[in-house]
Amino acid sequence: MANSASGDSVVDRVVRVIEAFPEGVTSLQLTELADRAGIPLSSAHRLVRQLSEHGLLDLGVGGTVRLGLRLWELVNRNSPTLALRQAAMPFMEDIQQVLNQNVNLAVLDGWEALFVERLSRRGSVANRARIAGRMPVHISSAGLALMSHQSRELQAEYLEQFQDPSGKVTADVVRHFLAEAAQHGYAQLAGVVDPDTWGIAVPVVNGKRRTVAALGVVVPLAEMRLQALVPALQTAARGIGRQLGD
Amino acid sequence: MANSASGDSVVDRVVRVIEAFPEGVTSLQLTELADRAGIPLSSAHRLVRQLSEHGLLDLGVGGTVRLGLRLWELVNRNSPTLALRQAAMPFMEDIQQVLNQNVNLAVLDGWEALFVERLSRRGSVANRARIAGRMPVHISSAGLALMSHQSRELQAEYLEQFQDPSGKVTADVVRHFLAEAAQHGYAQLAGVVDPDTWGIAVPVVNGKRRTVAALGVVVPLAEMRLQALVPALQTAARGIGRQLGD
DNA sequence: CACGTTCTACCATTGAATGGAAGGTACCGA
DNA sequence: TCGGTACCTTCCATTCAATGGTAGAACGTG
């Protein structure tokens, strides 16, 4: 026994500690954290204490561990999506005002759409699609809008490895969706979380003609009017793209 | 020379790498990063590569280093301020709709107010007070609102160490501000970034009667109407506090 | 084409990280 | 009141992972 019996580096462990928090959980007991991260308690304790001395974690009195405010601050100040979000925010507010629907902004990460910003429909009670949430490409309008405007190579690679865990969707179906989205310039899809809602998303293209994000809305089926929604979204998306430069 | 000639641990270095990004800067060259973090280039390179393999950083082709999307995702999913922001968001939108002013939400971290959420006034061009920004307690209405409702001990400790770098404000002046804020139940202060604006903030109190946040607005001097602003803020703040529980 | 700059890879050296064990502390139910 | 359990925290001899000087590769530039 010495520098890690399990053969992982300090960096590995730091990552595992941060990753150990289940989605939406903000605090964990030290023992549970050590357990989840697969680190011996004494090592976990030392590591957590070190990190909390730097403010990346917050080790409370009874062994309660939270992510540190300082970490949140650093990440949000220097976030890779900072410029995107700043450029998009005013346009997203426009959409929110004009259409009065839930508006969201997503980027592609791996084979998933990662939602980086969101504005709720005024008066809406629950806002399901949380910020920093993920959705697989093939079951989100944002994902389809993003993927349908990527390079042929990336799309091929995506379709190559595609496999729907539930077995409901085949690669051919997805291929069809992507082709349709590429042709129309927007993607639409029946809501997954809520069957009575539809998602519509359009690509956001930067100065280099690269699709860097998708701007979308989630609307109740009853209010689904493509003729009204798509032009508004496309206009806003073009505005965002112009702000981005690059 | 061996495990760090400078005598710092791996954890120290991981922290310094993340902290190396200046405010608002999203990408850094490897050499500059190593320089800023005070780490030998070869070590920095190895460390960055390890972190980027886990997605905490993103090491681009030409040695361009960014914070990783995964880090942003993890931090925002499990942020210590998640519950607070979720509880506050609807009320902040109410304020935005009713008063049509910049609305912000801050927590106390050290002797500074850390802004954790923000909604811009509709139609406002520049949104100065960035999210994840900090302001010293004594020159922000949010800071004063927060500090004025902390325990006597903490306030004493704060005033004890207080020193204004610019030398314009004395501890006695701050003491007076705090007393006033505590008495009135809100804090007001002339804008620091912009002399023609005023900040007004009220404390957000959770179920345990602990002041956990401050809800505030920034208004142009011409639209400064305490009679209208304070009751609205206080009502929203009580609503947030009720949602919080604890 | 030579020079400066930056990124990347290698590898012998060594002290920082490891984790079992033992000491605290708080809480519970009998 | 008292044993029992379940945490958190500290200690310290062992040892292997991290270190960083060095050198090569890949640029761009005057």
Side-chain angles (χ1 to χ4, degrees), chain B residues 174-217:
Chain B
V174 178
R175 194 190 316 274
H176 175 69
F177 280 158
L178 289 176
E180 209 167 52
Q183 193 195 334
H184 293 157
Y186 66 85
Q188 59 164 319
L189 204 59
V192 180
V193 279
D194 183 345
D196 291 336
T197 63
W198 278 69
I200 300 99
V202 303
V204 175
V205 183
N206 73 2
K208 282 184 192 157
R209 305 213 161 272
R210 295 241 309 138
T211 298
V212 293
L215 178 70
V217 289

Side-chain angles (χ1 to χ4, degrees), chain B residues 71-105:
Chain B
L71 178 59
W72 181 86
E73 178 189 359
L74 290 168
V75 170
N76 278 283
R77 268 195 188 170
N78 308 304
S79 150
T81 64
L82 186 66
L84 174 63
R85 278 153 59 212
Q86 279 186 346
M89 216 23 168
F91 294 97
M92 292 179 69
E93 284 173 349
D94 291 344
I95 293 288
Q96 186 197 29
Q97 292 293 322
V98 173
L99 301 181
N100 189 27
Q101 303 290 357
N102 291 314
V103 194
N104 56 54
L105 185 72

Side-chain angles (χ1 to χ4, degrees), chain B residues 27-104:
Chain B
S27 90
L28 238 41
Q29 283 306 101
L30 186 55
T31 303
E32 189 183 355
L33 179 63
D35 209 38
R36 286 181 172 279
I39 303 175
L41 178 60
S42 60
S43 298
H45 179 256
R46 183 166 20 79
L47 189 59
V48 167
R49 192 160 40 70
Q50 282 186 14
L51 286 166
S52 84
E53 275 162 12
H54 289 287
L56 292 213
L57 291 182
D58 177 25
L59 177 55
V61 280
T64 302
V65 184
R66 293 172 191 272
L67 296 187
L69 272 176
R70 175 136 191 77
L71 178 59
W72 181 86
E73 178 189 359
L74 290 168
V75 170
N76 278 283
R77 268 195 188 170
N78 308 304
S79 150
T81 64
L82 186 66
L84 174 63
R85 278 153 59 212
Q86 279 186 346
M89 216 23 168
F91 294 97
M92 292 179 69
E93 284 173 349
D94 291 344
I95 293 288
Q96 186 197 29
Q97 292 293 322
V98 173
L99 301 181
N100 189 27
Q101 303 290 357
N102 291 314
V103 194
N104 56 54

Side-chain angles (χ1 to χ4, degrees), chain A residues 1-3 9-10 29-31 45 61-62:
Chain A
M1 89 203 69
N3 279 11
S9 65
V10 179
Q29 283 307 99
L30 185 56
T31 302
H45 178 256
V61 282

Side-chain angles (χ1 to χ4, degrees), chain A residues 44 46 131 135 160 203 213:
Chain A
R46 184 165 21 78
I131 202 168
M135 295 276 274
E160 173 71 24

Side-chain angles (χ1 to χ4, degrees), chain A residues 13-33:
Chain A
R13 298 191 156 186
V14 169
V15 174
R16 284 224 299 282
V17 164
I18 296 177
E19 283 180 334
F21 291 82
E23 181 174 343
V25 172
T26 60
S27 89
L28 237 41
Q29 283 307 99
L30 185 56
T31 302
E32 190 181 355
L33 179 64

Side-chain angles (χ1 to χ4, degrees), chain A residues 93-168:
Chain A
E93 284 174 349
D94 291 344
I95 294 288
Q96 185 196 32
Q97 291 294 320
V98 173
L99 301 180
N100 189 26
Q101 301 291 357
N102 291 312
V103 195
N104 55 55
L105 185 73
V107 298
L108 188 64
D109 190 41
W111 309 130
E112 296 179 306
L114 178 64
F115 291 86
V116 297
E117 195 62 88
R118 192 207 68 223
L119 286 177
S120 304
R121 175 180 187 169
R122 294 196 304 277
S124 75
V125 189
N127 33 19
R128 311 215 181 193
R130 261 186 317 293
I131 202 168
R134 281 177 181 271
M135 295 276 274
V137 160
H138 72 285
I139 52 169
S140 62
S141 55
L144 290 171
L146 281 164
M147 184 57 78
S148 65
H149 286 75
Q150 300 299 316
S151 68
R152 292 214 167 282
E153 295 75 36
L154 193 73
Q155 289 192 46
E157 191 186 338
Y158 166 64
L159 289 165
E160 173 71 24
Q161 62 77 51
F162 178 82
Q163 225 179 353
D164 182 16
S166 73
K168 287 179 187 164

